[in-house]
PDB file of all heavy atoms in Angstrom:
ATOM      1  N   GLU B 397       7.934   9.631  49.940  1.00  0.00           N
ATOM      2  CA  GLU B 397       7.482  10.285  51.188  1.00  0.00           C
ATOM      3  C   GLU B 397       7.072  11.648  50.987  1.00  0.00           C
ATOM      4  O   GLU B 397       6.125  12.071  51.580  1.00  0.00           O
ATOM      5  CB  GLU B 397       8.665  10.189  52.107  1.00  0.00           C
ATOM      6  CG  GLU B 397       8.836   8.836  52.920  1.00  0.00           C
ATOM      7  CD  GLU B 397      10.160   8.586  53.393  1.00  0.00           C
ATOM      8  OE1 GLU B 397      10.914   9.555  53.697  1.00  0.00           O
ATOM      9  OE2 GLU B 397      10.455   7.391  53.552  1.00  0.00           O
ATOM     10  N   ARG B 398       7.780  12.388  50.117  1.00  0.00           N
ATOM     11  CA  ARG B 398       7.367  13.772  49.888  1.00  0.00           C
ATOM     12  C   ARG B 398       6.122  13.836  49.025  1.00  0.00           C
ATOM     13  O   ARG B 398       5.283  14.652  49.276  1.00  0.00           O
ATOM     14  CB  ARG B 398       8.518  14.624  49.345  1.00  0.00           C
ATOM     15  CG  ARG B 398       9.440  15.103  50.472  1.00  0.00           C
ATOM     16  CD  ARG B 398      10.528  15.929  49.875  1.00  0.00           C
ATOM     17  NE  ARG B 398      11.651  15.125  49.370  1.00  0.00           N
ATOM     18  CZ  ARG B 398      12.456  15.457  48.388  1.00  0.00           C
ATOM     19  NH1 ARG B 398      12.305  16.648  47.872  1.00  0.00           N
ATOM     20  NH2 ARG B 398      13.453  14.655  48.014  1.00  0.00           N
ATOM     21  N   ASN B 399       6.139  13.004  47.979  1.00  0.00           N
ATOM     22  CA  ASN B 399       4.915  12.813  47.143  1.00  0.00           C
ATOM     23  C   ASN B 399       4.352  14.125  46.655  1.00  0.00           C
ATOM     24  O   ASN B 399       3.167  14.436  46.872  1.00  0.00           O
ATOM     25  CB  ASN B 399       3.803  12.040  47.943  1.00  0.00           C
ATOM     26  CG  ASN B 399       2.965  11.253  47.007  1.00  0.00           C
ATOM     27  OD1 ASN B 399       3.293  11.015  45.862  1.00  0.00           O
ATOM     28  ND2 ASN B 399       1.906  10.801  47.483  1.00  0.00           N
ATOM     29  N   GLU B 400       5.162  14.965  45.991  1.00  0.00           N
ATOM     30  CA  GLU B 400       4.700  16.253  45.613  1.00  0.00           C
ATOM     31  C   GLU B 400       4.208  16.167  44.171  1.00  0.00           C
ATOM     32  O   GLU B 400       4.830  15.739  43.246  1.00  0.00           O
ATOM     33  CB  GLU B 400       5.911  17.183  45.584  1.00  0.00           C
ATOM     34  CG  GLU B 400       6.523  17.490  47.044  1.00  0.00           C
ATOM     35  CD  GLU B 400       7.921  17.968  46.963  1.00  0.00           C
ATOM     36  OE1 GLU B 400       8.783  17.272  46.618  1.00  0.00           O
ATOM     37  OE2 GLU B 400       8.148  19.165  47.277  1.00  0.00           O
ATOM     38  N   PRO B 401       2.908  16.715  43.995  1.00  0.00           N
ATOM     39  CA  PRO B 401       2.343  16.590  42.701  1.00  0.00           C
ATOM     40  C   PRO B 401       2.945  17.502  41.618  1.00  0.00           C
ATOM     41  O   PRO B 401       2.797  17.268  40.429  1.00  0.00           O
ATOM     42  CB  PRO B 401       0.835  16.974  42.933  1.00  0.00           C
ATOM     43  CG  PRO B 401       0.820  17.540  44.235  1.00  0.00           C
ATOM     44  CD  PRO B 401       2.028  17.157  45.032  1.00  0.00           C
ATOM     45  N   ASP B 402       3.678  18.539  42.106  1.00  0.00           N
ATOM     46  CA  ASP B 402       4.233  19.439  41.141  1.00  0.00           C
ATOM     47  C   ASP B 402       5.708  19.059  40.777  1.00  0.00           C
ATOM     48  O   ASP B 402       6.418  19.851  40.156  1.00  0.00           O
ATOM     49  CB  ASP B 402       4.175  20.852  41.619  1.00  0.00           C
ATOM     50  CG  ASP B 402       4.827  21.040  42.962  1.00  0.00           C
ATOM     51  OD1 ASP B 402       5.163  20.036  43.542  1.00  0.00           O
ATOM     52  OD2 ASP B 402       5.028  22.227  43.341  1.00  0.00           O
ATOM     53  N   VAL B 403       6.193  17.814  41.209  1.00  0.00           N
ATOM     54  CA  VAL B 403       7.472  17.406  40.831  1.00  0.00           C
ATOM     55  C   VAL B 403       7.349  16.227  39.923  1.00  0.00           C
ATOM     56  O   VAL B 403       6.654  15.199  40.259  1.00  0.00           O
ATOM     57  CB  VAL B 403       8.278  16.943  42.060  1.00  0.00           C
ATOM     58  CG1 VAL B 403       9.548  16.270  41.680  1.00  0.00           C
ATOM     59  CG2 VAL B 403       8.472  18.098  42.978  1.00  0.00           C
ATOM     60  N   GLY B 404       7.842  16.344  38.713  1.00  0.00           N
ATOM     61  CA  GLY B 404       7.880  15.226  37.816  1.00  0.00           C
ATOM     62  C   GLY B 404       9.150  14.381  37.989  1.00  0.00           C
ATOM     63  O   GLY B 404      10.203  14.896  38.227  1.00  0.00           O
ATOM     64  N   ILE B 405       8.933  13.127  37.902  1.00  0.00           N
ATOM     65  CA  ILE B 405      10.007  12.097  38.090  1.00  0.00           C
ATOM     66  C   ILE B 405      10.257  11.413  36.741  1.00  0.00           C
ATOM     67  O   ILE B 405       9.353  10.784  36.220  1.00  0.00           O
ATOM     68  CB  ILE B 405       9.751  11.071  39.169  1.00  0.00           C
ATOM     69  CG1 ILE B 405       9.427  11.810  40.464  1.00  0.00           C
ATOM     70  CG2 ILE B 405      10.945  10.136  39.353  1.00  0.00           C
ATOM     71  CD1 ILE B 405       8.879  10.869  41.569  1.00  0.00           C
ATOM     72  N   VAL B 406      11.505  11.509  36.274  1.00  0.00           N
ATOM     73  CA  VAL B 406      11.832  10.800  34.977  1.00  0.00           C
ATOM     74  C   VAL B 406      12.889   9.756  35.293  1.00  0.00           C
ATOM     75  O   VAL B 406      13.867  10.058  35.997  1.00  0.00           O
ATOM     76  CB  VAL B 406      12.384  11.817  33.923  1.00  0.00           C
ATOM     77  CG1 VAL B 406      12.745  11.080  32.681  1.00  0.00           C
ATOM     78  CG2 VAL B 406      11.464  12.993  33.708  1.00  0.00           C
ATOM     79  N   ILE B 407      12.769   8.512  34.865  1.00  0.00           N
ATOM     80  CA  ILE B 407      13.700   7.505  35.102  1.00  0.00           C
ATOM     81  C   ILE B 407      14.260   6.875  33.836  1.00  0.00           C
ATOM     82  O   ILE B 407      13.466   6.530  32.962  1.00  0.00           O
ATOM     83  CB  ILE B 407      13.077   6.334  35.965  1.00  0.00           C
ATOM     84  CG1 ILE B 407      12.293   6.986  37.174  1.00  0.00           C
ATOM     85  CG2 ILE B 407      14.252   5.493  36.501  1.00  0.00           C
ATOM     86  CD1 ILE B 407      11.537   5.969  37.942  1.00  0.00           C
ATOM     87  N   TRP B 408      15.500   6.888  33.703  1.00  0.00           N
ATOM     88  CA  TRP B 408      16.148   6.237  32.583  1.00  0.00           C
ATOM     89  C   TRP B 408      17.127   5.119  33.009  1.00  0.00           C
ATOM     90  O   TRP B 408      17.884   5.367  33.965  1.00  0.00           O
ATOM     91  CB  TRP B 408      17.011   7.225  31.705  1.00  0.00           C
ATOM     92  CG  TRP B 408      16.270   8.472  31.297  1.00  0.00           C
ATOM     93  CD1 TRP B 408      16.351   9.750  31.806  1.00  0.00           C
ATOM     94  CD2 TRP B 408      15.443   8.597  30.161  1.00  0.00           C
ATOM     95  NE1 TRP B 408      15.598  10.580  31.049  1.00  0.00           N
ATOM     96  CE2 TRP B 408      14.952   9.948  30.077  1.00  0.00           C
ATOM     97  CE3 TRP B 408      14.878   7.711  29.149  1.00  0.00           C
ATOM     98  CZ2 TRP B 408      14.165  10.450  29.056  1.00  0.00           C
ATOM     99  CZ3 TRP B 408      14.010   8.234  28.208  1.00  0.00           C
ATOM    100  CH2 TRP B 408      13.692   9.502  28.149  1.00  0.00           C
ATOM    101  N   GLY B 409      17.181   4.021  32.310  1.00  0.00           N
ATOM    102  CA  GLY B 409      18.177   3.012  32.638  1.00  0.00           C
ATOM    103  C   GLY B 409      18.122   1.837  31.681  1.00  0.00           C
ATOM    104  O   GLY B 409      17.534   1.885  30.661  1.00  0.00           O
ATOM    105  N   GLU B 410      18.990   0.863  32.054  1.00  0.00           N
ATOM    106  CA  GLU B 410      19.143  -0.240  31.056  1.00  0.00           C
ATOM    107  C   GLU B 410      17.908  -0.959  30.795  1.00  0.00           C
ATOM    108  O   GLU B 410      16.999  -1.139  31.723  1.00  0.00           O
ATOM    109  CB  GLU B 410      20.176  -1.252  31.759  1.00  0.00           C
ATOM    110  CG  GLU B 410      21.580  -0.781  31.618  1.00  0.00           C
ATOM    111  CD  GLU B 410      22.527  -1.951  31.612  1.00  0.00           C
ATOM    112  OE1 GLU B 410      22.677  -2.595  32.727  1.00  0.00           O
ATOM    113  OE2 GLU B 410      23.042  -2.266  30.556  1.00  0.00           O
ATOM    114  N   PRO B 411      17.765  -1.457  29.608  1.00  0.00           N
ATOM    115  CA  PRO B 411      16.490  -2.127  29.191  1.00  0.00           C
ATOM    116  C   PRO B 411      16.377  -3.512  29.855  1.00  0.00           C
ATOM    117  O   PRO B 411      17.387  -4.032  30.367  1.00  0.00           O
ATOM    118  CB  PRO B 411      16.547  -2.187  27.740  1.00  0.00           C
ATOM    119  CG  PRO B 411      18.000  -2.191  27.429  1.00  0.00           C
ATOM    120  CD  PRO B 411      18.695  -1.449  28.499  1.00  0.00           C
ATOM    121  N   ASP B 412      15.204  -4.139  29.732  1.00  0.00           N
ATOM    122  CA  ASP B 412      15.074  -5.520  30.008  1.00  0.00           C
ATOM    123  C   ASP B 412      15.459  -5.911  31.509  1.00  0.00           C
ATOM    124  O   ASP B 412      15.898  -6.990  31.692  1.00  0.00           O
ATOM    125  CB  ASP B 412      15.799  -6.416  29.073  1.00  0.00           C
ATOM    126  CG  ASP B 412      15.205  -6.206  27.639  1.00  0.00           C
ATOM    127  OD1 ASP B 412      13.941  -6.053  27.574  1.00  0.00           O
ATOM    128  OD2 ASP B 412      16.014  -6.155  26.736  1.00  0.00           O
ATOM    129  N   SER B 413      15.388  -4.959  32.365  1.00  0.00           N
ATOM    130  CA  SER B 413      15.531  -5.373  33.771  1.00  0.00           C
ATOM    131  C   SER B 413      14.186  -4.816  34.438  1.00  0.00           C
ATOM    132  O   SER B 413      13.738  -3.743  34.113  1.00  0.00           O
ATOM    133  CB  SER B 413      16.711  -4.894  34.388  1.00  0.00           C
ATOM    134  OG  SER B 413      16.439  -3.471  34.839  1.00  0.00           O
ATOM    135  N   ASP B 414      13.712  -5.578  35.400  1.00  0.00           N
ATOM    136  CA  ASP B 414      12.500  -5.115  35.995  1.00  0.00           C
ATOM    137  C   ASP B 414      12.811  -4.218  37.173  1.00  0.00           C
ATOM    138  O   ASP B 414      11.885  -3.819  37.920  1.00  0.00           O
ATOM    139  CB  ASP B 414      11.735  -6.339  36.464  1.00  0.00           C
ATOM    140  CG  ASP B 414      10.639  -6.752  35.548  1.00  0.00           C
ATOM    141  OD1 ASP B 414      10.415  -6.042  34.533  1.00  0.00           O
ATOM    142  OD2 ASP B 414      10.060  -7.888  35.686  1.00  0.00           O
TER     143      ASP B 414
END
Side-chain angles (χ1 to χ4, degrees):
Chain B
E397 272 156 30
R398 275 183 277 153
N399 209 14
E400 295 160 291
D402 57 349
V403 174
I405 302 169
V406 181
I407 312 172
W408 305 104
E410 282 206 287
D412 296 323
S413 84
D414 264 351

